[in-house]
Every structure is written in structure tokens, then in C-alpha cells.
Amino acid sequence: MNTDTLTMEEKKTGTELNISPVEEWPVFKKRPLIIAGPCSAENEEQVMTTAAALCASGRVDIFRAGIWKPRTRPGQFEGIGSPGLRWLRRVREEYGLPVAVEVATEKHVYEALKQGIDAVWIGARTSVNPFALNEIAAALRDSDVMVFVKNPVNPDLELWIGALERISNAGITRLAAVHRGFSTWEKCSFRNQPRWQIAVELRQRIPGIGLLCDPSHMGGDRAFIGDLSQKAMDLNYDGLMIESHFEPSTALSDRKQQLTPVELMKVLGSLVLRSPTSDDPEFLETIEDLRSQIDVYDNLLLDILESRMQVAETIGRYKKEHSITILQSSRWKEVKDNAVDKGVRKGLTPEFIHTILEAIHQESIAHQMKVMKEE
């Protein structure tokens, strides 16, 4: 199916993939599934020391380390390469931990499989490229490894779904998605803007898909990892992928976002895990009442939006009669700035207001364009 031409009805019905739930994987002990280890495998001592500490905690399910590192600019540490695979194999043999690496080419896949790597993840820079994914999928075909697909760098749900479909079509059944946030030009506290709603919609579109959060890359700073991990648990994610280095200050890549094994255990120990459902009659009655109130407000919002678009069409006709352009940049900036100020005072985030206003503005332009084309 060409995901670029999906209809709204096709999006609503979702995508069926032949995948097994994360909780049925042999590595899964309890929620959340934990994948942890250094951003990069730098030397054998660093890998083994970190792995020993993580293994001793008894809480890590899969040990991860980057071997081939995609870097934004040349001259940065680009990974130790294939020799690091032997270190990971030693981690599995000595500590009994399944091991994972990032793969970006079919050659990476072949080398990882040859060394018996248990899991691979596909990074954000690769998941955006269908050609690379086709080659990786062909190399993975019918293997029994676990595969984790990170969201593309840009907030495009169709690309993310397409990446998962390509890997699934290669016969991979232990397949899960990793939400690491999205690059943006907008000002944001985090390294990558979470845009949680995209990951939530992914689960609606692909029922049963495993979903993990990568708070290390999302936050870009160890100070954010605890809060982002808790948010993921509140949204019922299946697991976390967190970077951990025995001495982050010496790390050759992303030192600011890595936790020591001790710090990682503190984060995991502080997580509050909530059930997605309840049989409590009082809870069910109360939540149903509140949801009914939400339905009322949603209908009111739709009525207001309908009225607003009718006014926009009237403005469009008036502009047409007087040969005025549709877009009035100064007016739009004034409207947006005022709305953001009011929204913040009402407890809404600037990001939310921007998102809503942009969508309304685009719809208003579409209505006015339709008026302009009328005979």
C-alpha cells in the first residue's frame, strides 16, 4: 500500500502487522522493558565495566551500545566499528544479557548477525529513508532478532509506519517502535520535541505494536530523563531505552545525556506504574461521567470552528470583491501573539496554542481559496 495516498478511512482502520506483543518476548520480565548501555562502545574496558554494573542491578533486559555512529558533521567520533561487536558478544557470554546495536546499512546487519547480536535498532536518520530500509529489511529477512525502529527525525507518522511495515514484511515478528522525539526549528527545552500525540496515534494505527521511549535523545540532558520516563509510563509505554555510561564525563559522544548505572537505577526506582484499566465501579462511573463532559465540549468546539470558518468564507468573498490577497502576514502575527499570551494565562502551553492556531489558519486559508475560485 502506498502510504503517501492513504485516505482518511484507511488511516482510521489502521495497519495489521504480524507482530508479537512485547510482553510475550523471552527477554521481557516486567514492565517496563529496559534497554540500557553507553551511547557508544569506546573500548572493551568501558563496555565491560558498564555492563557489569547494569547486570548487577538485575533490572536491565538488553544491553545496548552504538558501534557505528551517524554524526551530523565529519571529524566527530563515528564509532569503533566492527571490533566492538566482539565486546558485545563477550557481554552476552559473561553476563547473560542480550545485546543490541544500531544498524544503518545492510553491511551492518550482516556483521551483527554473524556475531550473534540479539537485537538491532534502526535510528532516526535511517528510518526516514525508504531505500535504506528496504536493504536493511532484506538483510534481516526471516532472522529471529528483535528489531526496534526509532521515529524519523521529522514528525511524519506515515514514514514511521512505513518503516515498521518494511521490517515486518521481511518476516520480523519481534518488532517494536521507539519514540525519541522530533527535530524542530521551534524553541524547545528538549533536544528533540516529544510530540507525544504522534506516538499515541501510531498505536491507534498499528494495534499491538510495542512502544518504547528514548528519554536520553528526547531530552538531550540527564536532568530530563526521570520526568520523560514517567510521562512514557503514564502513557502506558512498554519500555525505555536509556543511555548509561560508567563515567559519562569521559564519554566520546552525548556525554550530557548519559546516566551512571547508579543514577539509572534511581530513575527506574522512582517510576510510578499505573494500570491501564480498573474494575472499580466508582472509578468507572466517575470516568464515564467525565468523558461525557468531554464529548459535550468537543461538540461545542466543532460548532465554534464551523462558525469561524463561515466567517472566514465571508472575509474571503469580501477580499475577492476588493482584489485583496488572502494572506495578511501582519494580521496573522498579531492574532497568533495575542492568542498565545491569552492561552498561557489560561494554563495552556505555547506549543499547544501554536499547533491549534496553525491548523485553524490553514483551514481558514483553504476555505478562502475555495471562495476565490468560485465563478
Side-chain angles (χ1 to χ4, degrees), residues 68 70 101-113 119-143 145-150 162-172 175:
W68 303 282
V101 296
E102 179 177 358
V103 293
T105 69
E106 59 181 332
K107 182 176 182 292
H108 293 168
V109 175
Y110 290 135
E111 292 197 32
L113 293 180
V120 299
W121 76 87
I122 297 169
R125 301 169 192 256
T126 307
S127 62
V128 77
N129 186 336
F131 297 107
L133 279 164
N134 283 338
E135 294 180 355
I136 291 172
L140 285 169
R141 182 166 297 280
D142 297 327
S143 64
V145 297
M146 295 169 278
V147 181
F148 301 89
V149 180
K150 292 194 176 184
L164 290 161
E165 289 175 329
R166 285 181 167 84
I167 301 301
S168 175
N169 290 342
I172 301 298
L175 175 65

Side-chain angles (χ1 to χ4, degrees), residues 1-17 127-131 133-134 152 154 156-169 201-202 205-206:
M1 178 182 293
N2 182 356
T3 56
D4 295 330
T5 58
L6 285 173
T7 65
M8 288 302 294
E9 187 60 32
E10 287 169 329
K11 291 180 179 180
K12 187 187 299 184
T13 57
T15 300
E16 293 292 336
L17 299 182
S127 62
V128 77
N129 186 336
F131 297 107
L133 279 164
N134 283 338
N154 52 315
D156 189 328
L157 179 58
E158 298 306 322
L159 275 176
W160 200 1
I161 291 175
L164 290 161
E165 289 175 329
R166 285 181 167 84
I167 301 301
S168 175
N169 290 342
E201 186 176 349
L202 174 73
R205 292 277 299 278
I206 309 182

Side-chain angles (χ1 to χ4, degrees), residues 39-114:
C39 173
S40 303
E42 300 162 357
N43 56 66
E44 189 168 10
E45 180 184 3
Q46 170 247 6
V47 168
M48 298 308 295
T49 301
T50 304
L54 293 175
C55 180
S57 72
R59 189 59 195 90
V60 174
D61 301 298
I62 301 174
F63 181 81
R64 57 141 288 158
I67 302 297
W68 303 282
K69 299 295 298 180
R71 311 303 292 173
T72 301
R73 298 177 65 180
Q76 298 175 309
F77 179 63
E78 296 183 333
I80 199 68
S82 300
L85 293 171
R86 294 194 296 273
W87 308 338
L88 289 177
R89 188 173 63 184
R90 184 183 165 196
V91 168
R92 187 183 59 230
E93 292 171 352
E94 294 191 16
Y95 300 115
L97 280 175
V99 292
V101 296
E102 179 177 358
V103 293
T105 69
E106 59 181 332
K107 182 176 182 292
H108 293 168
V109 175
Y110 290 135
E111 292 197 32
L113 293 180
K114 187 168 68 174

Side-chain angles (χ1 to χ4, degrees), residues 249-309:
S249 62
T250 66
L252 299 181
S253 59
D254 289 345
R255 63 183 59 175
K256 190 178 180 182
Q257 67 189 38
Q258 299 193 64
L259 297 173
T260 66
V262 171
E263 291 170 336
L264 173 60
M265 292 311 116
K266 288 181 179 178
V267 167
L268 298 180
S270 67
L271 292 177
V272 178
L273 302 181
R274 299 178 173 90
S275 172
T277 59
S278 173
D279 296 327
D280 186 320
E282 182 179 353
F283 168 82
L284 294 174
E285 182 179 350
T286 302
I287 202 72
E288 188 61 32
D289 178 59
L290 293 171
R291 285 171 175 167
S292 296
Q293 293 181 44
I294 289 290
D295 291 341
V296 171
Y297 289 123
D298 285 345
N299 287 328
L300 287 173
L301 284 171
L302 291 173
D303 290 340
I304 291 171
L305 289 172
E306 179 188 25
S307 299
R308 191 190 190 286
M309 294 310 156

